[in-house]
Amino acid sequence: MRVLVTGGAGYIGSVVTEELVKDRHEAVVYDSLYKGHEAAIVAGAQFVHADLADAATLRQTLAEHRIEAVVHMAADSLVGESCAQPAKYYQNNVVNGLVLLDAMRDRGVNRLVFSSTAATYGEPDQQPIEETAPNNPANPYGESKLAFEHAMRWYAQAYGLRYAALRYFNAAGASERCGEDHAHETHLIPIALQAAAGKREFVEVYGDDYPTPDGTCVRDYIHVIDLARAHLLALNALDEGGRIYNLGCGGSGYSVNQVLEMARTVTGKDIPARVGPRRAGDPAVLIASSDKIKRELGWKPEYQDLRVIIESAWRWMLAHPDGYSE
Ligand code: UDP
């Protein structure tokens, strides 16, 4: 298939593109490089350097490359930032998303795989979270992703859009070529590894008074390659209407303290931690039930072990001490 990957120069987008190319799809990366890296764009993919808000270029790209399907990953995705700057999240995740939906409608492109998030659920009473759990986002990030999911649902009904919304839990780890390199890193695992590499003095633990076994937040970490492979399964399965799938590894998840401990084990380094205040918008526990995607699409995560996930991220960091260094 000829697939447009918005955000294909980003952390998850680059690995999704890698998997598309491996699977012999024609991938066209569409990225503004405002957060992505040109060096992350996979060999074998084409690249259009443009912003989603640029409707004319988007339409032209869909036409010129005779795009048949879109994997839409270009977005802002930080919980804390979204609480401070909701306008940015509504603009980039909702308004620009609608630009994409309308460009697709104009060009008759009706297949869409969307990177959504567990943040749509807020903090449900039951863990692991199933797709039938009520949506109640606790931050503008989750709210903006849910708004786009709703738009897809109505576009499916009225215009025949076929879509899958993949609700990611905590993507982590790296492929051999592609890893996590954010200008202002906010994610726990890369931050812990930066501390191990001597690039920061300590890791601040955002609160240890949560109602969890050790008081720190519990998350469900999923290897970015397993996550990426789910996009291909979803793409091949698109049919009438929409599907929503959670993507995590389930189990009992890992607390912030457990992640730090595993990062110490993997790196063999001291990683000093200091407890600070809670971060706005953080639910105590987020653990996925991914039974639905396993059952319906035959998704099988290969790298569920936190140790394997952190080892891959550490390998990538050691091989790329300055990230993509542009
Ligand atoms: N976290 C932390 N210190 C940090 C970064 C993150 O304690 O420097 C915590 C954060 O509060 C959350 C978990 O680690 O409970 C995972 O956060 P991350 O930002 O990696 O992903 P999120 O869950 O926000 O998608």
Side-chain angles (χ1 to χ4, degrees):
M1 241 183 273
R2 291 181 294 275
V3 185
L4 187 77
V5 187
T6 75
Y11 167 46
I12 302 171
S14 58
V15 184
V16 169
T17 308
E18 212 170 24
E19 292 298 320
L20 284 168
V21 169
K22 265 192 214 158
D23 224 27
R24 303 193 177 285
H25 291 283
E26 282 177 41
V28 179
V29 168
Y30 191 96
D31 201 297
S32 66
L33 298 182
Y34 121 81
K35 286 180 301 181
H37 304 274
E38 195 158 0
I41 298 168
V42 172
Q46 302 188 62
F47 175 44
V48 178
H49 183 187
D51 199 289
L52 263 191
D54 178 355
T57 304
L58 195 50
R59 281 180 162 75
Q60 194 187 338
T61 304
L62 293 176
E64 259 175 26
H65 293 271
R66 294 180 296 125
I67 294 298
E68 297 166 292
V70 177
V71 180
H72 177 37
M73 315 184 76
D76 286 307
S77 57
L78 303 177
V79 166
E81 182 187 64
S82 80
C83 293
Q85 301 180 54
K88 182 177 177 187
Y89 280 71
Y90 276 91
Q91 181 64 45
N92 291 345
N93 295 359
V94 183
V95 178
N96 291 352
L98 294 178
V99 172
L100 173 67
L101 283 188
D102 286 327
M104 288 174 65
R105 185 156 66 95
D106 275 6
R107 295 294 322 161
V109 180
N110 71 346
R111 294 192 186 98
L112 179 60
V113 175
F114 172 59
S115 55
S116 191
T117 171
T120 52
Y121 296 112
E123 193 156 15
D125 299 335
Q126 288 195 344
Q127 306 279 347
I129 303 169
E130 298 193 353
E131 289 83 352
T132 48
N135 292 126
N136 189 15
N139 50 63
Y141 167 53
E143 196 77 71
S144 68
K145 290 282 183 173
L146 186 61
F148 189 79
E149 282 193 11
H150 288 162
M152 290 193 297
R153 190 176 81 215
W154 294 112
Y155 276 55
Q157 197 164 307
Y159 310 127
L161 179 70
R162 300 172 171 205
Y163 72 92
L166 304 182
R167 292 183 173 164
Y168 307 166
F169 283 64
N170 287 63
S175 72
E176 205 179 313
R177 234 197 112 264
C178 303
E180 202 163 2
D181 176 10
H182 297 115
H184 301 290
E185 192 51 73
T186 63
H187 294 110
L188 180 61
I189 291 178
I191 282 180
L193 297 181
Q194 285 173 358
K199 291 187 176 167
R200 52 174 86 217
E201 264 178 62
F202 63 94
V203 177
E204 183 174 346
V205 174
Y206 298 144
D208 68 351
D209 58 350
Y210 284 95
T212 60
D214 68 16
T216 66
C217 288
V218 171
R219 293 288 181 273
D220 182 342
Y221 295 88
I222 169 173
H223 196 294
V224 67
I225 295 178
D226 286 330
L227 187 61
R229 288 187 182 149
H231 292 70
L232 275 78
L233 294 175
L235 193 60
N236 290 327
L238 293 178
D239 51 14
E240 298 294 305
R243 295 156 175 259
I244 293 175
Y245 294 114
N246 287 341
L247 278 169
C249 291
S252 42
Y254 295 94
S255 71
V256 173
N257 284 342
Q258 287 175 315
V259 169
L260 294 179
E261 204 41 53
M262 183 60 83
R264 292 184 187 107
T265 304
V266 165
T267 62
K269 310 275 184 190
D270 183 31
I271 302 177
R274 291 186 202 162
V275 177
R278 291 182 174 196
R279 184 173 68 178
D282 265 347
V285 181
L286 285 174
I287 295 172
S289 159
S290 298
D291 290 350
K292 188 178 170 201
I293 191 163
K294 287 178 181 159
R295 195 175 58 239
E296 293 188 4
L297 305 189
W299 179 68
K300 278 198 210 101
E302 271 182 53
Y303 311 104
Q304 306 204 41
D305 190 347
L306 183 66
R307 176 191 289 268
V308 172
I309 293 175
I310 295 182
E311 276 171 356
S312 73
W314 182 233
R315 250 195 323 275
W316 193 84
M317 195 179 269
L318 292 176
H320 303 82
D322 301 315
Y324 288 107
S325 60
E326 282 146 11

